[in-house]
mmCIF file with all atom_site columns, all heavy atoms in Angstrom:
data_model
loop_
_atom_site.group_PDB
_atom_site.id
_atom_site.type_symbol
_atom_site.label_atom_id
_atom_site.label_alt_id
_atom_site.label_comp_id
_atom_site.label_asym_id
_atom_site.label_entity_id
_atom_site.label_seq_id
_atom_site.pdbx_PDB_ins_code
_atom_site.Cartn_x
_atom_site.Cartn_y
_atom_site.Cartn_z
_atom_site.occupancy
_atom_site.B_iso_or_equiv
_atom_site.pdbx_formal_charge
_atom_site.auth_seq_id
_atom_site.auth_comp_id
_atom_site.auth_asym_id
_atom_site.auth_atom_id
_atom_site.pdbx_PDB_model_num
ATOM 1  N N   . VAL A 1 103 ? -0.979 -24.483 12.332 1.00 54.00 ? 103 VAL A N   1
ATOM 2  C CA  . VAL A 1 103 ? -0.198 -25.673 12.650 1.00 54.00 ? 103 VAL A CA  1
ATOM 3  C C   . VAL A 1 103 ? 0.172  -26.450 11.401 1.00 54.00 ? 103 VAL A C   1
ATOM 4  O O   . VAL A 1 103 ? 1.314  -26.827 11.203 1.00 54.00 ? 103 VAL A O   1
ATOM 5  C CB  . VAL A 1 103 ? -0.971 -26.571 13.643 1.00 54.00 ? 103 VAL A CB  1
ATOM 6  C CG1 . VAL A 1 103 ? -0.215 -27.851 13.908 1.00 54.00 ? 103 VAL A CG1 1
ATOM 7  C CG2 . VAL A 1 103 ? -1.227 -25.820 14.933 1.00 54.00 ? 103 VAL A CG2 1
ATOM 8  N N   . THR A 1 104 ? -0.782 -26.705 10.516 1.00 57.00 ? 104 THR A N   1
ATOM 9  C CA  . THR A 1 104 ? -0.469 -27.496 9.335  1.00 57.00 ? 104 THR A CA  1
ATOM 10 C C   . THR A 1 104 ? 0.100  -26.667 8.207  1.00 57.00 ? 104 THR A C   1
ATOM 11 O O   . THR A 1 104 ? 0.802  -27.183 7.357  1.00 57.00 ? 104 THR A O   1
ATOM 12 C CB  . THR A 1 104 ? -1.717 -28.243 8.827  1.00 57.00 ? 104 THR A CB  1
ATOM 13 O OG1 . THR A 1 104 ? -2.740 -27.286 8.551  1.00 57.00 ? 104 THR A OG1 1
ATOM 14 C CG2 . THR A 1 104 ? -2.207 -29.240 9.850  1.00 57.00 ? 104 THR A CG2 1
ATOM 15 N N   . GLY A 1 105 ? -0.154 -25.381 8.196  1.00 68.00 ? 105 GLY A N   1
ATOM 16 C CA  . GLY A 1 105 ? 0.323  -24.550 7.101  1.00 68.00 ? 105 GLY A CA  1
ATOM 17 C C   . GLY A 1 105 ? 1.684  -23.937 7.336  1.00 68.00 ? 105 GLY A C   1
ATOM 18 O O   . GLY A 1 105 ? 2.234  -23.294 6.453  1.00 68.00 ? 105 GLY A O   1
ATOM 19 N N   . GLY A 1 106 ? 2.242  -24.098 8.530  1.00 79.00 ? 106 GLY A N   1
ATOM 20 C CA  . GLY A 1 106 ? 3.536  -23.531 8.843  1.00 79.00 ? 106 GLY A CA  1
ATOM 21 C C   . GLY A 1 106 ? 3.545  -22.023 8.732  1.00 79.00 ? 106 GLY A C   1
ATOM 22 O O   . GLY A 1 106 ? 2.515  -21.360 8.820  1.00 79.00 ? 106 GLY A O   1
ATOM 23 N N   . VAL A 1 107 ? 4.731  -21.481 8.539  1.00 85.00 ? 107 VAL A N   1
ATOM 24 C CA  . VAL A 1 107 ? 4.885  -20.034 8.396  1.00 85.00 ? 107 VAL A CA  1
ATOM 25 C C   . VAL A 1 107 ? 4.114  -19.545 7.183  1.00 85.00 ? 107 VAL A C   1
ATOM 26 O O   . VAL A 1 107 ? 3.424  -18.528 7.233  1.00 85.00 ? 107 VAL A O   1
ATOM 27 C CB  . VAL A 1 107 ? 6.384  -19.656 8.299  1.00 85.00 ? 107 VAL A CB  1
ATOM 28 C CG1 . VAL A 1 107 ? 6.558  -18.190 7.964  1.00 85.00 ? 107 VAL A CG1 1
ATOM 29 C CG2 . VAL A 1 107 ? 7.105  -19.988 9.606  1.00 85.00 ? 107 VAL A CG2 1
ATOM 30 N N   . ALA A 1 108 ? 4.198  -20.287 6.075  1.00 86.00 ? 108 ALA A N   1
ATOM 31 C CA  . ALA A 1 108 ? 3.508  -19.883 4.851  1.00 86.00 ? 108 ALA A CA  1
ATOM 32 C C   . ALA A 1 108 ? 2.009  -19.747 5.091  1.00 86.00 ? 108 ALA A C   1
ATOM 33 O O   . ALA A 1 108 ? 1.372  -18.807 4.604  1.00 86.00 ? 108 ALA A O   1
ATOM 34 C CB  . ALA A 1 108 ? 3.786  -20.882 3.729  1.00 86.00 ? 108 ALA A CB  1
ATOM 35 N N   . GLY A 1 109 ? 1.427  -20.672 5.848  1.00 83.00 ? 109 GLY A N   1
ATOM 36 C CA  . GLY A 1 109 ? -0.003 -20.609 6.148  1.00 83.00 ? 109 GLY A CA  1
ATOM 37 C C   . GLY A 1 109 ? -0.356 -19.380 6.965  1.00 83.00 ? 109 GLY A C   1
ATOM 38 O O   . GLY A 1 109 ? -1.377 -18.734 6.738  1.00 83.00 ? 109 GLY A O   1
ATOM 39 N N   . GLY A 1 110 ? 0.489  -19.028 7.925  1.00 86.00 ? 110 GLY A N   1
ATOM 40 C CA  . GLY A 1 110 ? 0.242  -17.843 8.738  1.00 86.00 ? 110 GLY A CA  1
ATOM 41 C C   . GLY A 1 110 ? 0.370  -16.554 7.947  1.00 86.00 ? 110 GLY A C   1
ATOM 42 O O   . GLY A 1 110 ? -0.316 -15.577 8.211  1.00 86.00 ? 110 GLY A O   1
ATOM 43 N N   . LEU A 1 111 ? 1.233  -16.564 6.935  1.00 90.00 ? 111 LEU A N   1
ATOM 44 C CA  . LEU A 1 111 ? 1.431  -15.366 6.110  1.00 90.00 ? 111 LEU A CA  1
ATOM 45 C C   . LEU A 1 111 ? 0.254  -15.092 5.183  1.00 90.00 ? 111 LEU A C   1
ATOM 46 O O   . LEU A 1 111 ? 0.074  -13.959 4.736  1.00 90.00 ? 111 LEU A O   1
ATOM 47 C CB  . LEU A 1 111 ? 2.726  -15.491 5.310  1.00 90.00 ? 111 LEU A CB  1
ATOM 48 C CG  . LEU A 1 111 ? 4.013  -15.438 6.144  1.00 90.00 ? 111 LEU A CG  1
ATOM 49 C CD1 . LEU A 1 111 ? 5.221  -15.759 5.276  1.00 90.00 ? 111 LEU A CD1 1
ATOM 50 C CD2 . LEU A 1 111 ? 4.175  -14.095 6.828  1.00 90.00 ? 111 LEU A CD2 1
ATOM 51 N N   . LEU A 1 112 ? -0.544 -16.103 4.902  1.00 90.00 ? 112 LEU A N   1
ATOM 52 C CA  . LEU A 1 112 ? -1.729 -15.896 4.062  1.00 90.00 ? 112 LEU A CA  1
ATOM 53 C C   . LEU A 1 112 ? -2.640 -14.828 4.654  1.00 90.00 ? 112 LEU A C   1
ATOM 54 O O   . LEU A 1 112 ? -3.234 -14.031 3.928  1.00 90.00 ? 112 LEU A O   1
ATOM 55 C CB  . LEU A 1 112 ? -2.508 -17.205 3.889  1.00 90.00 ? 112 LEU A CB  1
ATOM 56 C CG  . LEU A 1 112 ? -1.887 -18.254 2.988  1.00 90.00 ? 112 LEU A CG  1
ATOM 57 C CD1 . LEU A 1 112 ? -2.638 -19.578 3.115  1.00 90.00 ? 112 LEU A CD1 1
ATOM 58 C CD2 . LEU A 1 112 ? -1.859 -17.783 1.546  1.00 90.00 ? 112 LEU A CD2 1
ATOM 59 N N   . ASP A 1 113 ? -2.741 -14.803 5.992  1.00 86.00 ? 113 ASP A N   1
ATOM 60 C CA  . ASP A 1 113 ? -3.574 -13.807 6.670  1.00 86.00 ? 113 ASP A CA  1
ATOM 61 C C   . ASP A 1 113 ? -3.075 -12.384 6.451  1.00 86.00 ? 113 ASP A C   1
ATOM 62 O O   . ASP A 1 113 ? -3.796 -11.430 6.698  1.00 86.00 ? 113 ASP A O   1
ATOM 63 C CB  . ASP A 1 113 ? -3.617 -14.078 8.181  1.00 86.00 ? 113 ASP A CB  1
ATOM 64 C CG  . ASP A 1 113 ? -4.385 -15.337 8.531  1.00 86.00 ? 113 ASP A CG  1
ATOM 65 O OD1 . ASP A 1 113 ? -5.119 -15.858 7.672  1.00 86.00 ? 113 ASP A OD1 1
ATOM 66 O OD2 . ASP A 1 113 ? -4.240 -15.802 9.679  1.00 86.00 ? 113 ASP A OD2 1
ATOM 67 N N   . PHE A 1 114 ? -1.833 -12.248 6.009  1.00 92.00 ? 114 PHE A N   1
ATOM 68 C CA  . PHE A 1 114 ? -1.234 -10.934 5.775  1.00 92.00 ? 114 PHE A CA  1
ATOM 69 C C   . PHE A 1 114 ? -1.167 -10.598 4.289  1.00 92.00 ? 114 PHE A C   1
ATOM 70 O O   . PHE A 1 114 ? -0.458 -9.684  3.879  1.00 92.00 ? 114 PHE A O   1
ATOM 71 C CB  . PHE A 1 114 ? 0.160  -10.872 6.411  1.00 92.00 ? 114 PHE A CB  1
ATOM 72 C CG  . PHE A 1 114 ? 0.095  -10.839 7.910  1.00 92.00 ? 114 PHE A CG  1
ATOM 73 C CD1 . PHE A 1 114 ? -0.039 -12.018 8.635  1.00 92.00 ? 114 PHE A CD1 1
ATOM 74 C CD2 . PHE A 1 114 ? 0.122  -9.641  8.593  1.00 92.00 ? 114 PHE A CD2 1
ATOM 75 C CE1 . PHE A 1 114 ? -0.126 -11.990 10.021 1.00 92.00 ? 114 PHE A CE1 1
ATOM 76 C CE2 . PHE A 1 114 ? 0.030  -9.608  9.971  1.00 92.00 ? 114 PHE A CE2 1
ATOM 77 C CZ  . PHE A 1 114 ? -0.095 -10.786 10.694 1.00 92.00 ? 114 PHE A CZ  1
ATOM 78 N N   . GLY A 1 115 ? -1.880 -11.387 3.472  1.00 93.00 ? 115 GLY A N   1
ATOM 79 C CA  . GLY A 1 115 ? -1.947 -11.114 2.042  1.00 93.00 ? 115 GLY A CA  1
ATOM 80 C C   . GLY A 1 115 ? -0.753 -11.605 1.250  1.00 93.00 ? 115 GLY A C   1
ATOM 81 O O   . GLY A 1 115 ? -0.569 -11.224 0.095  1.00 93.00 ? 115 GLY A O   1
#
Side-chain angles (χ1 to χ4, degrees):
V103 176
T104 58
V107 172
L111 291 172
L112 287 170
D113 291 345
F114 289 83

